[in-house]
Amino acid sequence: MFPETIETERLRLDPRWPETVDLDDCYRICSSDPAIDEVTEHVTWDPHETKKETLEFLERGRKRWEDNEAAGYVIRPRQGEDGAGEIAGFGGFSVDWEKRTATLGTWLRKRFWGRGYSGERAAALAAVAFEDLDLGLVTVSHLPENEQSRRAIEKYVDRLGGRREGLLRNHITFADGSVHDEIRYSITQEEWREGTN
C-alpha cells in the first residue's frame, strides 16, 4: 500500500526495516551520534542504550507498515549531496484510516539540519497521503519550545497550502512519562491541491 521507495530531488526514502537499515550504523547514530541529546530533546524517545532497542525500533517500523498503520522511512541524501547514502534521519507518517488523516513525523541528525530536507520530505509524503492514499488531511506538530521545528514546519505548511491550528495541551507523552503540549498544523487535500498547482 505504501511506496517502498520515495525519491525527491535530493533525498531517497526507504522503509524503516531491519532489512534496509544497517543495525550497527543505526545503533551508533541513535545512541551516540554527535549532538544526539540535542536531537532527542524534542522527540518522544531517548538515545538508545542497547542494540536490542535499535533492532526493536526497526522491527516496529516493519510491523506498523505491514499492519497499514504507518509508513516509516530512513532518509538518505542522494548522490551529489553532502553525506550521500548516509542515514540523515528517519521520517514518515502514521495513518488514522477512520479520520482519513496522516500525521507526519521526522527527526534528522544535527549535521543534516538547515538544508531544507524536512520540507522536501514533507512535500513528498503529503503527495503520497493525498494522491496515493486519498486521505483528507495531513497534520504535523511540534513542541512549543522547539523553534527550529517551528520555522521548518511553518515554512513547508504554508508552501503546501495549510495552516496552524493551535495549541493542544497535554497532548504527547515522552518515554520518561512526562506530558507535553504540542502546536498542531494541518493541510486538507483541497488546500494542498490549490497550494501545489
Side-chain angles (χ1 to χ4, degrees):
M1 173 174 300
F2 305 126
E4 286 196 16
T5 300
I6 299 172
E7 290 191 343
T8 67
E9 181 182 341
R10 300 177 300 155
L11 301 173
R12 178 182 170 102
L13 282 64
D14 292 302
R16 188 187 97 195
W17 300 342
E19 301 85 359
T20 58
V21 180
D22 181 84
L23 178 62
D24 293 330
D25 195 24
C26 189
Y27 172 64
R28 180 190 54 74
I29 290 166
C30 292
S31 65
S32 59
D33 200 50
I36 191 65
D37 290 328
E38 211 175 325
V39 170
T40 58
E41 180 180 359
H42 300 293
V43 295
T44 59
W45 58 278
D46 292 325
H48 294 181
E49 294 182 8
T50 66
K51 202 176 285 188
K52 179 178 184 288
E53 193 175 350
T54 304
L55 179 59
E56 289 168 353
F57 165 73
L58 298 174
E59 288 175 338
R60 222 174 16 259
R62 181 177 48 204
K63 171 108 173 61
R64 294 192 73 211
W65 183 295
E66 290 170 350
D67 292 344
N68 294 324
E69 294 175 1
Y73 295 93
V74 57
I75 301 167
R76 295 184 178 101
R78 292 178 62 179
Q79 289 299 327
E81 288 290 300
D82 178 34
E86 288 184 44
I87 295 173
F90 291 87
F93 56 83
S94 59
V95 181
D96 183 327
W97 294 105
E98 288 183 13
K99 295 179 181 174
R100 296 186 56 236
T101 300
T103 300
L104 301 181
T106 195
W107 64 269
L108 295 171
R109 296 167 61 197
K110 187 171 182 179
R111 68 173 292 232
F112 294 98
W113 291 1
R115 298 185 187 187
Y117 287 170
S118 180
E120 192 168 324
R121 166 222 45 111
L125 294 178
V128 168
F130 293 133
E131 290 181 341
D132 297 351
L133 304 177
D134 193 32
L135 297 175
L137 189 70
V138 168
T139 69
V140 62
S141 60
H142 65 81
L143 299 183
E145 62 274 15
N146 189 343
E147 276 300 306
Q148 183 158 340
S149 286
R150 180 193 61 78
R151 287 191 303 272
I153 290 170
E154 285 180 352
K155 187 174 182 179
Y156 72 70
V157 165
D158 183 62
R159 191 173 62 246
L160 297 175
R163 63 179 158 214
R164 176 183 162 152
E165 289 186 0
L167 180 70
L168 302 175
R169 297 180 187 165
N170 289 354
H171 194 255
I172 188 166
T173 305
F174 278 25
D176 65 3
S178 61
V179 179
H180 301 265
D181 296 342
E182 284 190 306
I183 296 175
R184 179 174 138 147
Y185 303 76
S186 67
I187 309 157
T188 67
Q189 186 180 126
E190 183 178 63
E191 288 168 342
W192 175 79
R193 292 194 184 284
E194 290 174 7
T196 56
N197 283 339

